[in-house]
Amino acid sequence: MSNTEPVELICAKFAESLARGTFARLALSSPVEVVDAPEKVLGRFVMLKGVPHLSLTLRYPTRDVTKNLPKSDAVSWLRAQLGTHFRSALVCTTQRDWQFISNEAGVARLIDHQPSAKKTPSPEHDRKRAGLLDDSARDWLQGLDVLDREGKLRVSMADKHRQINHYLEIFSHLAKECGWMEKNIQHPTSNIQRPMVTPTPERGAMEVGCSMLEVGCSQTNAPNRSSALQLVDMGCGKGYLTFGLWHLFSRVWKQPVRVIGVETRADLVSTTNKLARQIKADGLEFVRGEIQSVKLPPVDALIALHACNTATDDAIRRGIELGAKLIVVAPCCHKELRPQLGKPEPLAAVLRHGLMEERMAEWATDGLRALFLEWAGYRTKILEFVASEHTPKNLMIAAIREGEPFVDDAARKKIEELKNFFSVQHQVLDPLLGKNQTAS
Ligand SMILES: C[S@@+](CC[C@H](N)C(=O)[O-])C[C@H]1O[C@@H](n2cnc3c(N)ncnc32)[C@H](O)[C@@H]1O
């Protein structure tokens, strides 16, 4: 059998299944290129505005991208992928499953199996306009004015909708890494040592009307501490992501969760709490408080999206102190380091340009944040959050606690070296440097 035969055969089977209405699903795996390529592509048949399409989910390590192809282009698209972009493919039909496998030398074969699907899935697209935000998210998305009264996406809120959805996709990959997606989860904080840190003295006056410790003890909406994960969203604003996280756990994964939104503005806290009550969001609550000082119970995950300037550092510090397994921050403005930033050679000639200096200050600030998290025992990654055409503030730092905090002197040294290189005298996270447990 020549190499092109298996390609043509599977494409013929695919075309036949589309024509006969027996196509169930498609999966491509084993990408030829590993850099910037999706790990997998999943395909299913959908109707979009009455027109048949092949809907593709391109699965990257930290996000999913959806693409829809008209049905008429589907077979030629598959032909172009096989052997060139992916070495394996599976076309499932209700009659037979067809598996294409090619090796590194390009030698391909086709194997057929018993069908794994007995009937074709519903072609209704609305599993939905955006993945995790399906119909079950309608009440809170309407309450936050992302959807209109008819449940249609407001044009002006399309970016926000995309942002929430994308955030939840990233978060679900991270939650998976933390082992939080399995059913009957063990409480992740029960068997992992929390860092031995003494909270840094509170810097801001506490403005909380109701103390979070009291909220933590209340029996009202809070799920059982022994089975529910506890998540906090610092500087939650209108609560888009707070509702989103609650939705992800409660409604998508059907897991008990307690999500706390912290916000300094009383008006926002009042409206978000009202909406949470209105939609009967058990386990979701908003409190008025300052990121740096609000009283909180231990948490499993802490997020902060666009917390201004050093509020992001405060959120990171609180996450470490509260023993969060997962910390995810997407910083906003970076003002602390810029006035301190030295101009070491050979960068000096470039840093005389204000824009370059500003970018370098952002780079150094976020780089230092990641290093501080590593010193605190976290594995960090820096990702692009939303495409840069939507906002220049598109960087995200995700950190998963995996090691002992404050014992890795090499990690500590990297912070000092970077600070020395840029002559940085002060960074809000500096007090963490004093928590060296090996020294004592
Ligand atoms: C840019 S908004 C982001 C809101 C939300 N995280 C989002 O991305 O949709 C920042 C929010 O953080 C709140 N905020 C700023 N500093 C804070 C602090 N120290 N403590 C609590 N909230 C704060 C602001 O009132 C504002 O609502």
Side-chain angles (χ1 to χ4, degrees), residues 160 163 233-241 262-265 268 289-292 304-308 311 314 332:
K160 181 53 79 181
Q163 185 194 55
D233 179 3
M234 294 293 211
C236 62
K238 291 183 180 165
Y240 297 110
L241 295 184
V262 172
E263 169 56 50
T264 192
R265 278 179 51 188
L268 293 178
E290 294 285 338
I291 294 170
Q292 52 269 50
L305 179 70
H306 298 158
C308 295
D314 291 322
C332 187

Side-chain angles (χ1 to χ4, degrees), residues 266-338:
D267 57 330
L268 293 178
V269 173
S270 163
T271 50
T272 46
N273 266 328
K274 197 168 152 203
L275 178 60
R277 279 194 296 273
Q278 195 182 313
I279 66 161
K280 299 189 173 35
D282 277 358
L284 175 62
E285 57 200 306
F286 293 85
V287 295
R288 184 175 175 212
E290 294 285 338
I291 294 170
Q292 52 269 50
S293 58
V294 63
K295 285 192 181 167
L296 288 167
V299 297
D300 298 287
L302 177 143
I303 69 161
L305 179 70
H306 298 158
C308 295
N309 197 17
T310 54
T312 292
D313 301 290
D314 291 322
I316 290 173
R317 175 181 61 79
R318 295 301 307 274
I320 295 169
E321 289 172 356
L322 294 165
K325 166 88 176 163
L326 174 64
I327 297 177
V328 188
V329 295
C332 187
C333 40
H334 301 67
K335 296 197 178 126
E336 192 190 17
L337 293 202
R338 177 131 188 224

Side-chain angles (χ1 to χ4, degrees), residues 106-295:
V107 179
R109 64 203 165 104
L110 190 67
I111 310 168
D112 66 325
H113 303 274
Q114 291 288 338
S116 54
K118 290 205 171 65
K119 46 181 196 169
T120 54
S122 158
E124 291 310 312
H125 178 50
D126 284 354
R127 239 190 272 165
K128 169 135 192 174
R129 101 191 92 238
L132 295 162
L133 298 179
D134 62 8
D135 239 13
S136 68
R138 183 172 168 152
D139 53 2
W140 61 271
L141 286 172
Q142 275 178 324
L144 294 175
D145 281 333
V146 177
L147 304 183
D148 67 15
R149 279 166 168 234
E150 280 76 49
K152 293 209 181 73
L153 180 60
R154 288 184 197 279
V155 176
S156 60
M157 297 303 276
D159 279 353
K160 181 53 79 181
H161 188 272
R162 198 174 303 114
Q163 185 194 55
I164 303 168
N165 192 48
H166 189 57
Y167 190 93
L168 296 184
E169 275 170 7
I170 294 176
F171 193 91
S172 43
H173 284 283
L174 295 166
K176 196 170 166 190
E177 286 187 51
C178 293
W180 294 343
M181 279 173 76
E182 291 94 35
K183 285 224 150 69
N184 304 321
I185 43 167
Q186 292 272 315
H187 194 279
T189 53
S190 59
N191 54 1
I192 296 175
Q193 194 200 347
R194 284 181 185 281
M196 301 286 290
V197 285
T198 318
T200 313
E202 293 173 0
R203 284 189 282 125
M206 213 172 103
E207 286 181 31
V208 199
C210 60
S211 148
M212 275 310 299
L213 286 185
E214 285 158 24
V215 174
C217 295
S218 91
Q219 296 298 309
T220 51
N221 276 344
N224 186 340
R225 177 72 183 91
S226 64
S227 60
L229 288 174
Q230 308 219 88
L231 319 180
V232 63
D233 179 3
M234 294 293 211
C236 62
K238 291 183 180 165
Y240 297 110
L241 295 184
T242 339
F243 277 93
L245 283 185
W246 174 85
H247 169 83
L248 183 67
F249 280 86
S250 283
R251 290 183 173 170
V252 180
W253 294 340
K254 314 260 185 264
Q255 287 189 12
V257 72
R258 181 175 179 216
V259 184
I260 302 160
V262 172
E263 169 56 50
T264 192
R265 278 179 51 188
D267 57 330
L268 293 178
V269 173
S270 163
T271 50
T272 46
N273 266 328
K274 197 168 152 203
L275 178 60
R277 279 194 296 273
Q278 195 182 313
I279 66 161
K280 299 189 173 35
D282 277 358
L284 175 62
E285 57 200 306
F286 293 85
V287 295
R288 184 175 175 212
E290 294 285 338
I291 294 170
Q292 52 269 50
S293 58
V294 63
K295 285 192 181 167

